[in-house]
Coordinates of all heavy atoms in Angstrom, one line a residue:
M281 N 0.8 -1.2 0.0 CA 0.0 0.0 0.0 C 0.9 1.2 0.0 O 1.8 1.4 0.8 CB -0.9 0.0 1.2 CG -1.9 1.1 1.3 SD -2.9 0.8 2.7 CE -4.4 1.6 2.1
N282 N 0.6 2.1 -0.9 CA 1.4 3.4 -1.0 C 0.8 4.5 -0.2 O -0.4 4.6 -0.1 CB 1.5 3.8 -2.5 CG 2.3 2.9 -3.3 OD1 3.2 2.2 -2.8 ND2 2.0 2.9 -4.6
A283 N 1.7 5.3 0.4 CA 1.2 6.4 1.2 C 0.6 7.4 0.2 O 1.0 7.6 -0.9 CB 2.4 7.1 1.9
P284 N -0.4 8.2 0.7 CA -1.1 9.2 -0.2 C -0.1 10.3 -0.5 O 0.8 10.6 0.3 CB -2.2 9.7 0.7 CG -1.9 9.4 2.1 CD -1.0 8.2 2.0
T285 N -0.3 10.9 -1.6 CA 0.6 12.0 -2.0 C 0.1 13.2 -1.3 O -1.1 13.6 -1.3 CB 0.5 12.3 -3.6 OG1 0.8 11.1 -4.3 CG2 1.3 13.4 -4.0
L286 N 1.0 13.9 -0.6 CA 0.7 15.1 0.2 C 1.2 16.3 -0.6 O 2.2 16.3 -1.2 CB 1.4 15.0 1.5 CG 1.0 13.8 2.4 CD1 1.9 13.8 3.7 CD2 -0.4 13.9 2.8
D287 N 0.4 17.4 -0.4 CA 0.9 18.7 -0.9 C 1.8 19.3 0.1 O 1.5 19.6 1.2 CB -0.4 19.6 -1.0 CG 0.0 21.0 -1.6 OD1 1.2 21.3 -1.8 OD2 -0.9 21.8 -1.8
T288 N 3.1 19.4 -0.3 CA 4.1 19.8 0.6 C 4.6 21.2 0.3 O 5.7 21.7 0.7 CB 5.3 18.9 0.6 OG1 5.8 18.8 -0.7 CG2 4.9 17.5 1.2
S289 N 3.8 22.0 -0.4 CA 4.1 23.3 -0.8 C 4.1 24.2 0.5 O 3.5 23.8 1.5 CB 3.1 23.9 -1.8 OG 1.8 24.0 -1.2
T290 N 4.8 25.3 0.5 CA 4.8 26.2 1.6 C 3.4 26.6 2.0 O 3.0 26.7 3.2 CB 5.7 27.4 1.3 OG1 7.0 26.9 1.0 CG2 5.8 28.4 2.5
R291 N 2.6 26.9 1.0 CA 1.2 27.3 1.2 C 0.4 26.3 2.0 O -0.3 26.5 2.9 CB 0.5 27.7 -0.1 CG -0.9 28.2 0.1 CD -1.4 28.7 -1.3 NE -2.8 29.1 -1.2 CZ -3.5 29.6 -2.2 NH1 -2.9 29.8 -3.3 NH2 -4.7 29.9 -2.1
A292 N 0.6 25.0 1.6 CA -0.1 23.9 2.2 C 0.4 23.7 3.6 O -0.5 23.4 4.5 CB 0.1 22.6 1.4
V293 N 1.7 23.8 3.9 CA 2.2 23.7 5.2 C 1.6 24.8 6.1 O 1.2 24.6 7.2 CB 3.7 23.7 5.2 CG1 4.3 23.8 6.6 CG2 4.3 22.5 4.5
A294 N 1.6 26.0 5.6 CA 1.0 27.2 6.4 C -0.5 26.9 6.7 O -0.9 27.1 7.9 CB 1.2 28.5 5.6
E295 N -1.2 26.4 5.8 CA -2.7 26.2 6.0 C -2.8 25.0 7.1 O -3.7 25.1 7.9 CB -3.4 25.8 4.7 CG -3.4 26.9 3.7 CD -4.1 28.2 4.1 OE1 -4.9 28.2 5.1 OE2 -3.9 29.2 3.4
H296 N -2.0 24.0 7.0 CA -2.0 22.9 7.9 C -1.7 23.4 9.3 O -2.4 23.1 10.3 CB -1.0 21.8 7.5 CG -1.1 20.6 8.4 ND1 -2.0 19.7 8.4 CD2 -0.2 20.3 9.4 CE1 -1.8 18.8 9.4 NE2 -0.7 19.1 9.9
L297 N -0.7 24.2 9.5 CA -0.3 24.8 10.8 C -1.4 25.7 11.3 O -1.7 25.6 12.5 CB 1.0 25.5 10.7 CG 2.3 24.7 10.5 CD1 3.5 25.6 10.2 CD2 2.5 23.8 11.8
L298 N -2.0 26.4 10.5 CA -3.2 27.3 10.9 C -4.3 26.4 11.4 O -4.9 26.7 12.5 CB -3.6 28.2 9.7 CG -4.9 29.0 10.0 CD1 -4.6 30.0 11.2 CD2 -5.3 29.8 8.8
N299 N -4.6 25.4 10.7 CA -5.7 24.5 11.2 C -5.3 23.8 12.5 O -6.2 23.6 13.4 CB -6.0 23.4 10.1 CG -6.8 24.0 8.9 OD1 -7.5 25.0 9.1 ND2 -6.6 23.5 7.8
T300 N -4.1 23.4 12.7 CA -3.6 22.9 13.9 C -3.7 23.9 15.0 O -4.2 23.6 16.2 CB -2.2 22.4 13.8 OG1 -2.1 21.4 12.7 CG2 -1.7 21.7 15.1
L301 N -3.4 25.1 14.8 CA -3.5 26.2 15.7 C -5.0 26.4 16.1 O -5.3 26.6 17.3 CB -3.0 27.5 15.1 CG -2.5 28.6 16.0 CD1 -1.3 28.1 16.9 CD2 -2.0 29.8 15.2
R302 N -5.9 26.3 15.2 CA -7.3 26.4 15.5 C -7.8 25.3 16.4 O -8.5 25.5 17.3 CB -8.1 26.4 14.2 CG -8.0 27.8 13.5 CD -8.7 27.7 12.1 NE -8.7 29.0 11.5 CZ -8.7 29.2 10.2 NH1 -8.7 28.2 9.4 NH2 -8.7 30.4 9.7
L303 N -7.3 24.1 16.1 CA -7.6 22.9 17.0 C -7.1 23.1 18.4 O -7.9 22.8 19.4 CB -7.1 21.6 16.4 CG -7.8 21.1 15.1 CD1 -6.9 19.9 14.5 CD2 -9.2 20.7 15.4
L304 N -5.9 23.5 18.5 CA -5.3 23.8 19.8 C -6.1 24.9 20.6 O -6.3 24.8 21.8 CB -3.8 24.1 19.7 CG -2.9 22.9 19.3 CD1 -1.6 23.4 19.0 CD2 -2.9 21.9 20.4
D305 N -6.5 25.9 19.9 CA -7.2 27.0 20.5 C -8.5 26.6 21.1 O -9.0 27.1 22.1 CB -7.4 28.1 19.4 CG -8.0 29.4 20.0 OD1 -7.4 29.9 21.0 OD2 -9.0 29.9 19.5
Q306 N -9.1 25.5 20.5 CA -10.4 25.0 21.0 C -10.3 23.7 21.7 O -11.4 23.1 21.9 CB -11.4 25.0 19.8 CG -11.6 26.3 19.1 CD -12.6 26.2 18.0 OE1 -13.3 25.2 17.8 NE2 -12.8 27.3 17.3
A307 N -9.1 23.3 22.0 CA -8.9 22.0 22.6 C -9.7 21.8 23.9 O -9.8 22.8 24.7 CB -7.5 21.7 22.8
D308 N -10.1 20.7 24.2 CA -10.8 20.4 25.5 C -9.9 20.6 26.7 O -10.3 21.0 27.7 CB -11.3 18.9 25.5 CG -12.5 18.7 24.6 OD1 -13.2 19.7 24.2 OD2 -12.7 17.6 24.2
D309 N -8.6 20.3 26.5 CA -7.6 20.4 27.5 C -7.0 21.8 27.4 O -6.2 22.1 26.5 CB -6.5 19.4 27.3 CG -5.4 19.4 28.4 OD1 -5.4 20.4 29.2 OD2 -4.7 18.4 28.5
N310 N -7.4 22.7 28.3 CA -7.0 24.1 28.3 C -5.5 24.3 28.3 O -4.9 25.3 27.8 CB -7.6 24.9 29.4 CG -9.1 25.1 29.2 OD1 -9.6 24.9 28.1 ND2 -9.8 25.5 30.3
R311 N -4.8 23.3 28.9 CA -3.3 23.4 28.9 C -2.7 23.5 27.5 O -1.6 24.0 27.3 CB -2.7 22.3 29.7 CG -3.1 22.4 31.2 CD -2.6 21.2 31.9 NE -3.3 20.0 31.4 CZ -3.1 18.8 31.8 NH1 -2.2 18.5 32.7 NH2 -3.8 17.8 31.3
L312 N -3.4 22.9 26.5 CA -2.9 22.9 25.2 C -2.9 24.3 24.6 O -2.0 24.7 23.8 CB -3.7 22.0 24.3 CG -3.5 20.5 24.6 CD1 -4.5 19.7 23.7 CD2 -2.1 20.1 24.4
S313 N -3.9 25.1 25.0 CA -4.0 26.5 24.4 C -3.4 27.6 25.2 O -3.0 28.6 24.6 CB -5.5 26.7 24.1 OG -6.3 26.7 25.2
I314 N -3.4 27.4 26.5 CA -3.0 28.6 27.3 C -1.6 28.4 28.0 O -1.1 29.4 28.5 CB -4.0 29.0 28.4 CG1 -4.3 27.8 29.3 CG2 -5.3 29.4 27.7 CD1 -5.3 28.1 30.4
Q315 N -1.1 27.2 28.0 CA 0.2 27.0 28.8 C 1.3 27.7 28.0 O 1.5 27.5 26.8 CB 0.4 25.5 28.8 CG 1.7 25.2 29.5 CD 2.0 23.7 29.6 OE1 1.2 22.9 29.0 NE2 3.1 23.3 30.2
T316 N 2.0 28.6 28.8 CA 3.2 29.3 28.2 C 4.2 28.2 27.8 O 4.5 27.3 28.5 CB 3.8 30.2 29.3 OG1 2.8 31.1 29.7 CG2 4.9 31.0 28.7
G317 N 4.7 28.4 26.5 CA 5.6 27.5 26.0 C 5.0 26.1 25.6 O 5.8 25.2 25.3
G318 N 3.7 26.0 25.6 CA 3.1 24.8 25.3 C 2.9 24.6 23.8 O 3.5 25.3 22.9
A319 N 2.0 23.7 23.4 CA 1.8 23.3 22.1 C 1.3 24.5 21.2 O 1.8 24.6 20.1 CB 0.8 22.1 22.0
Y320 N 0.4 25.3 21.7 CA -0.2 26.4 20.9 C 1.0 27.3 20.5 O 1.1 27.7 19.4 CB -1.2 27.1 21.7 CG -1.9 28.3 20.9 CD1 -3.0 28.1 20.2 CD2 -1.3 29.5 20.9 CE1 -3.6 29.1 19.5 CE2 -1.9 30.6 20.2 CZ -3.0 30.4 19.5 OH -3.6 31.4 18.8
G321 N 1.8 27.7 21.5 CA 2.9 28.6 21.3 C 3.9 28.0 20.3 O 4.5 28.7 19.4
D322 N 4.2 26.7 20.4 CA 5.1 26.0 19.4 C 4.6 26.1 18.0 O 5.3 26.4 17.1 CB 5.3 24.6 19.9 CG 6.1 24.5 21.2 OD1 6.7 25.5 21.6 OD2 6.1 23.4 21.7
V323 N 3.3 25.8 17.8 CA 2.7 25.8 16.5 C 2.7 27.2 15.9 O 2.9 27.4 14.8 CB 1.3 25.1 16.5 CG1 0.6 25.3 15.1 CG2 1.4 23.7 16.9
Y324 N 2.3 28.2 16.8 CA 2.3 29.6 16.4 C 3.7 30.0 15.9 O 3.8 30.6 14.8 CB 1.9 30.4 17.6 CG 1.8 31.9 17.3 CD1 0.6 32.5 16.9 CD2 2.9 32.7 17.5 CE1 0.5 33.8 16.6 CE2 2.8 34.1 17.3 CZ 1.6 34.6 16.8 OH 1.5 36.0 16.6
E325 N 4.7 29.6 16.6 CA 6.1 30.0 16.2 C 6.5 29.3 14.9 O 7.2 29.9 14.1 CB 7.1 29.7 17.4 CG 7.0 30.6 18.5 CD 7.2 32.1 18.2 OE1 8.1 32.4 17.4 OE2 6.4 32.9 18.7
A326 N 6.1 28.0 14.8 CA 6.3 27.3 13.5 C 5.7 28.0 12.3 O 6.3 28.2 11.3 CB 5.9 25.9 13.6
L327 N 4.5 28.5 12.5 CA 3.8 29.2 11.5 C 4.4 30.6 11.2 O 4.6 30.9 10.0 CB 2.3 29.4 11.8 CG 1.4 30.1 10.8 CD1 1.5 29.4 9.4 CD2 -0.1 30.0 11.3
I328 N 4.9 31.3 12.2 CA 5.7 32.5 12.0 C 6.9 32.2 11.1 O 7.2 32.9 10.2 CB 6.1 33.1 13.3 CG1 4.9 33.6 14.1 CG2 7.2 34.2 13.1 CD1 4.4 35.0 13.7
K329 N 7.6 31.1 11.4 CA 8.8 30.7 10.7 C 8.5 30.4 9.2 O 9.2 30.7 8.3 CB 9.5 29.6 11.3 CG 10.2 30.0 12.6 CD 10.8 28.8 13.3 CE 11.4 29.2 14.7 NZ 12.1 28.1 15.4
V330 N 7.4 29.7 9.0 CA 7.0 29.4 7.6 C 6.7 30.7 6.8 O 7.1 30.8 5.7 CB 5.7 28.4 7.6 CG1 5.2 28.3 6.2 CG2 6.1 27.0 8.1
L331 N 5.9 31.6 7.4 CA 5.6 32.8 6.8 C 6.9 33.7 6.5 O 7.0 34.4 5.5 CB 4.6 33.6 7.6 CG 3.2 33.0 7.7 CD1 2.3 33.9 8.5 CD2 2.6 32.6 6.4
H332 N 7.9 33.5 7.4 CA 9.1 34.2 7.3 C 9.8 33.8 6.0 O 10.5 34.6 5.3 CB 10.0 34.0 8.5 CG 11.3 34.7 8.4 ND1 11.4 36.1 8.6 CD2 12.6 34.3 8.2 CE1 12.7 36.5 8.4 NE2 13.4 35.4 8.2
T333 N 9.7 32.5 5.7 CA 10.4 32.0 4.4 C 9.8 32.7 3.2 O 10.4 32.7 2.1 CB 10.2 30.5 4.3 OG1 8.9 30.1 4.0 CG2 10.8 29.8 5.5
Q334 N 8.6 33.3 3.3 CA 7.9 34.0 2.2 C 8.1 35.5 2.3 O 7.5 36.3 1.6 CB 6.4 33.6 2.2 CG 6.2 32.2 2.1 CD 6.8 31.5 0.9 OE1 6.6 32.0 -0.2 NE2 7.7 30.6 1.1
G335 N 9.1 35.9 3.1 CA 9.4 37.3 3.2 C 8.6 38.1 4.2 O 8.6 39.4 4.2
W336 N 7.8 37.4 5.1 CA 7.0 38.1 6.0 C 7.8 38.3 7.3 O 8.2 37.3 7.9 CB 5.7 37.3 6.3 CG 4.7 37.5 5.1 CD1 4.9 37.1 3.8 CD2 3.5 38.2 5.2 NE1 3.8 37.5 3.1 CE2 2.9 38.2 3.9 CE3 2.8 38.8 6.2 CZ2 1.7 38.7 3.6 CZ3 1.6 39.4 5.9 CH2 1.1 39.3 4.6
G337 N 7.9 39.5 7.8 CA 8.5 39.7 9.1 C 7.5 39.2 10.2 O 6.4 38.9 10.0
R338 N 8.0 39.2 11.5 CA 7.3 38.7 12.6 C 6.0 39.5 12.8 O 4.9 38.9 13.0 CB 8.1 38.7 13.9 CG 7.4 38.2 15.0 CD 8.3 38.0 16.2 NE 7.6 37.3 17.3 CZ 7.5 35.9 17.3 NH1 8.1 35.2 16.4 NH2 6.9 35.3 18.3
I339 N 6.0 40.8 12.7 CA 4.8 41.6 13.0 C 3.8 41.4 11.9 O 2.6 41.3 12.2 CB 5.2 43.1 13.1 CG1 6.1 43.3 14.4 CG2 4.0 44.0 13.1 CD1 6.7 44.7 14.5
M340 N 4.2 41.4 10.6 CA 3.3 41.1 9.5 C 2.7 39.7 9.6 O 1.5 39.5 9.4 CB 4.0 41.3 8.2 CG 4.4 42.7 7.8 SD 5.4 42.8 6.3 CE 4.4 41.9 5.1
A341 N 3.5 38.7 10.0 CA 3.0 37.4 10.1 C 2.0 37.3 11.2 O 1.0 36.6 11.1 CB 4.2 36.4 10.3
A342 N 2.3 37.9 12.4 CA 1.4 37.8 13.5 C 0.1 38.5 13.2 O -1.0 38.0 13.6 CB 2.1 38.5 14.7
A343 N 0.1 39.6 12.4 CA -1.2 40.2 12.0 C -2.0 39.3 11.1 O -3.2 39.2 11.3 CB -0.9 41.5 11.3
A344 N -1.3 38.6 10.2 CA -2.0 37.7 9.3 C -2.6 36.5 10.1 O -3.7 36.1 9.8 CB -1.1 37.2 8.2
I345 N -1.8 36.0 11.0 CA -2.3 34.9 11.8 C -3.5 35.3 12.7 O -4.5 34.6 12.8 CB -1.2 34.3 12.7 CG1 -0.1 33.7 11.9 CG2 -1.8 33.3 13.7 CD1 1.2 33.4 12.6
E346 N -3.4 36.5 13.3 CA -4.5 37.0 14.1 C -5.8 37.2 13.3 O -6.9 36.8 13.7 CB -4.2 38.3 14.7 CG -5.3 38.9 15.6 CD -4.9 40.2 16.3 OE1 -3.7 40.6 16.3 OE2 -5.8 40.9 16.8
H347 N -5.6 37.7 12.1 CA -6.7 37.9 11.1 C -7.4 36.5 10.8 O -8.6 36.4 10.9 CB -6.3 38.6 9.9 CG -7.4 38.8 8.9 ND1 -7.7 37.9 7.9 CD2 -8.2 39.9 8.7 CE1 -8.7 38.3 7.2 NE2 -9.0 39.6 7.6
A348 N -6.5 35.5 10.5 CA -7.0 34.2 10.1 C -7.8 33.6 11.3 O -8.8 32.9 11.1 CB -5.9 33.3 9.7
M349 N -7.2 33.7 12.5 CA -7.9 33.1 13.7 C -9.2 33.8 14.0 O -10.2 33.1 14.4 CB -7.0 33.2 14.9 CG -5.7 32.4 14.8 SD -6.0 30.6 14.8 CE -6.5 30.3 16.5
L350 N -9.3 35.1 13.7 CA -10.6 35.8 14.0 C -11.7 35.6 12.9 O -12.8 35.5 13.2 CB -10.3 37.3 14.2 CG -9.5 37.7 15.4 CD1 -9.2 39.1 15.4 CD2 -10.3 37.3 16.7
T351 N -11.2 35.5 11.7 CA -12.2 35.5 10.6 C -12.4 34.1 10.0 O -13.4 33.9 9.3 CB -11.7 36.3 9.4 OG1 -10.5 35.8 8.9 CG2 -11.5 37.8 9.8
W352 N -11.6 33.1 10.4 CA -11.6 31.8 9.8 C -11.3 31.8 8.3 O -11.6 30.8 7.6 CB -12.9 31.0 10.2 CG -12.9 30.6 11.6 CD1 -13.2 31.3 12.7 CD2 -12.6 29.3 12.1 NE1 -13.0 30.6 13.8 CE2 -12.7 29.3 13.5 CE3 -12.2 28.1 11.5 CZ2 -12.4 28.2 14.3 CZ3 -12.0 27.0 12.3 CH2 -12.1 27.1 13.7
D353 N -10.7 32.8 7.9 CA -10.2 32.8 6.5 C -9.0 31.9 6.4 O -8.4 31.5 7.4 CB -9.7 34.2 6.1 CG -10.8 35.2 5.8 OD1 -12.0 34.7 5.7 OD2 -10.6 36.4 5.6
S354 N -8.6 31.6 5.1 CA -7.4 30.8 5.0 C -6.2 31.6 5.3 O -6.3 32.9 5.3 CB -7.3 30.3 3.5 OG -7.1 31.4 2.6
M355 N -5.0 31.0 5.5 CA -3.8 31.8 5.8 C -3.5 32.7 4.6 O -3.1 33.8 4.7 CB -2.7 30.8 6.1 CG -1.4 31.4 6.6 SD -1.7 32.0 8.4 CE -1.8 33.7 8.2
Y356 N -3.7 32.1 3.4 CA -3.4 32.9 2.1 C -4.3 34.1 2.0 O -3.8 35.2 1.8 CB -3.6 31.9 0.9 CG -3.3 32.6 -0.4 CD1 -2.1 32.9 -0.8 CD2 -4.4 33.1 -1.2 CE1 -1.8 33.5 -2.0 CE2 -4.2 33.7 -2.4 CZ -2.9 33.9 -2.8 OH -2.7 34.6 -4.0
D357 N -5.6 33.9 2.3 CA -6.5 35.1 2.2 C -6.2 36.1 3.3 O -6.3 37.3 3.1 CB -7.9 34.6 2.3 CG -8.4 33.9 1.0 OD1 -7.8 34.0 0.0 OD2 -9.5 33.2 1.1
S358 N -5.8 35.6 4.5 CA -5.5 36.5 5.5 C -4.2 37.3 5.2 O -4.1 38.5 5.6 CB -5.3 35.8 6.9 OG -6.6 35.3 7.2
M359 N -3.2 36.7 4.6 CA -2.0 37.4 4.2 C -2.4 38.5 3.2 O -1.8 39.6 3.3 CB -1.0 36.4 3.6 CG -0.4 35.5 4.7 SD 0.6 34.2 4.0 CE 2.1 35.1 3.5
L360 N -3.2 38.1 2.2 CA -3.6 39.1 1.3 C -4.4 40.3 1.9 O -4.1 41.5 1.6 CB -4.5 38.5 0.2 CG -3.9 37.6 -0.8 CD1 -4.9 37.0 -1.7 CD2 -2.8 38.3 -1.6
A361 N -5.3 40.0 2.8 CA -6.1 41.0 3.5 C -5.2 41.9 4.4 O -5.4 43.2 4.4 CB -7.1 40.4 4.4
T362 N -4.2 41.4 5.1 CA -3.4 42.2 6.0 C -2.4 43.0 5.2 O -1.9 44.0 5.6 CB -2.8 41.4 7.1 OG1 -2.0 40.3 6.6 CG2 -3.9 40.9 8.0
S363 N -1.9 42.5 4.1 CA -0.9 43.2 3.3 C -1.6 44.3 2.5 O -0.9 45.3 2.1 CB -0.2 42.2 2.3 OG -1.1 41.8 1.3
A364 N -2.9 44.2 2.2 CA -3.6 45.3 1.5 C -3.9 46.5 2.4 O -4.2 47.5 1.8 CB -4.8 44.7 0.9
G365 N -3.8 46.3 3.6 CA -4.0 47.5 4.5 C -5.0 47.1 5.5 O -5.4 47.8 6.4

């Protein structure tokens, strides 16, 4: 049995991390979302690093992530929205 083909593009990785961040934010175990240095923070930092590879600084990336978390837009759409003003 062959493993399924995965989309490993930077965009797909960013969307996957965003979805993981959303799951952690709503996790039944509050320690996953609010614990300093916990899983939520680690995934958030990983997403910042992925966006950095696309030329996004920390402040721009944080704004796009915040937008995506609030609106439930895709990471790509949130990057477009926050870069447009």
Side-chain angles (χ1 to χ4, degrees):
M281 182 175 210
N282 293 333
T285 303
L286 300 174
D287 181 356
T288 57
S289 67
T290 302
R291 183 174 174 175
V293 171
E295 297 298 343
H296 181 76
L297 288 170
L298 175 62
N299 287 330
T300 302
L301 204 59
R302 287 176 174 149
L303 287 171
L304 289 168
D305 187 53
Q306 297 184 10
D308 291 338
D309 184 346
N310 289 345
R311 292 174 297 176
L312 293 174
S313 60
I314 60 175
Q315 180 182 1
T316 304
Y320 183 94
D322 291 344
V323 173
Y324 182 89
E325 289 302 319
L327 185 50
I328 292 279
K329 289 177 183 180
V330 169
L331 297 182
H332 181 72
T333 68
Q334 301 305 300
W336 283 66
R338 183 171 189 82
I339 294 171
M340 289 174 52
I345 295 167
E346 181 178 344
H347 180 272
M349 292 295 287
L350 292 173
T351 63
W352 284 78
D353 284 349
S354 69
M355 193 72 253
Y356 179 77
D357 287 344
S358 292
M359 290 173 74
L360 290 176
T362 56
S363 68

